[in-house]
Amino acid sequence: MRAVRQHFRDVHEVARFLTMATGANHPVVNIEYPDWVDSVVDWNSTYSSDESRMRLAIDVSRANVERGTGGPFGAAIFEDTGKLVAVGMNSVVRYNNCLLHGETMAMMMAQRVVGSFTLNAPNLPAHEMFTSCEPCAMCLGASLWSGVRRIVCGAARDDASRLNFEEGPVFPESYKYLEDRGIKIEHNFLREEARGVLEMYRAKGGKIYNA
Ligand code: ZN
């Protein structure tokens, strides 16, 4: 019990220190990519095929596991020409933040890049998101607000559920809701490659959060 109390005292101290370090007396959230991102992502390449776009999302998910920076999920957002806009990797444990899934991270970074709260603004080209695994309830909802016009998924919900990751209330009607609003959605694209990263994470004994 004493150890538990000490732990919470330590956590509180660290949180207080971080708050002080920003010069603010209220919470501040900063989100950055892990250090390895520039060695895995070729920002200047044109990703002309769906295969190359999905492979990038999968490469990001794999690097996240290999470097120990988060769960086995990655995403990437492109203009429809194949120009890369942003990637995202699961960062839940790294930041103690349940919102930081691969897809939400990619959406936040993409909107930062284009300077718009929607990727579907009149002055912007169409954007599409490739995700290494079918989105959870949160990410599917966020996809609607993000303004992406196409979503391509690698591994299936069942593949993640097998690792005991909770995907939340996603139903066939949920996908239909987005499709009815003009968003194209494709499933099981390079599914085996994407699933391989989930299996690698399981073999490494990776942490299952929000189970
Ligand atoms: Zn999610």
Side-chain angles (χ1 to χ4, degrees):
M1 195 59 201
R2 187 185 300 164
V4 172
R5 260 193 235 113
Q6 182 62 41
H7 171 75
F8 280 103
R9 233 189 332 264
D10 290 347
V11 168
H12 184 73
E13 276 301 304
V14 169
R16 199 169 65 84
F17 172 77
L18 289 175
T19 301
M20 302 282 281
T22 64
N25 59 5
H26 53 261
V28 174
V29 178
N30 291 315
I31 299 161
E32 293 185 38
Y33 290 135
D35 291 342
W36 52 257
V37 72
D38 292 332
S39 65
V40 171
V41 177
D42 183 353
W43 294 98
N44 298 316
S45 182
T46 295
Y47 297 81
S48 49
S49 68
D50 282 355
E51 281 81 3
S52 65
R53 295 175 201 182
M54 180 58 84
R55 287 231 160 78
L56 179 63
I58 296 172
D59 285 349
V60 167
S61 74
R62 186 182 302 108
N64 208 32
V65 175
E66 287 175 347
R67 314 291 179 108
T69 46
F73 305 102
I77 294 179
F78 303 87
E79 294 181 0
D80 56 1
T81 56
K83 182 176 185 293
L84 175 63
V85 181
V87 298
M89 64 295 293
N90 178 285
S91 301
V92 168
V93 173
R94 188 161 63 92
Y95 278 112
N96 284 322
N97 187 325
C98 70
L99 306 181
L100 296 182
H101 288 189
E103 300 96 318
T104 46
M105 185 98 164
M107 290 182 242
M108 283 190 273
M109 293 300 192
Q111 294 183 341
R112 174 64 147 217
V113 168
V114 303
S116 167
F117 56 80
T118 174
L119 300 171
N120 194 27
N123 60 328
L124 295 174
H127 286 75
E128 43 192 57
M129 179 170 72
F130 284 68
T131 174
S132 71
C133 187
E134 284 179 329
C136 72
M138 171 181 73
C139 292
L140 193 63
S143 301
L144 178 60
W145 318 132
S146 75
V148 295
R149 305 305 292 158
R150 181 175 176 234
I151 302 170
V152 183
C153 312
R157 173 190 174 93
D158 286 352
D159 301 329
S161 301
R162 209 162 292 136
L163 268 72
N164 291 324
F165 279 111
E166 165 66 80
E167 294 283 88
V170 178
F171 309 107
E173 297 87 333
S174 315
Y175 283 109
K176 186 173 183 311
Y177 191 95
L178 271 67
E179 285 165 341
D180 286 348
R181 280 150 187 80
I183 300 173
K184 292 196 181 74
I185 303 176
E186 292 155 53
H187 302 270
N188 301 322
F189 189 79
L190 300 184
R191 178 178 175 181
E192 291 307 314
E193 283 182 39
R195 183 158 59 184
V197 178
L198 298 176
E199 290 301 326
M200 185 172 77
Y201 189 75
R202 176 159 66 177
K204 282 182 70 160
K207 187 167 181 168
I208 310 295
Y209 43 84
N210 295 356

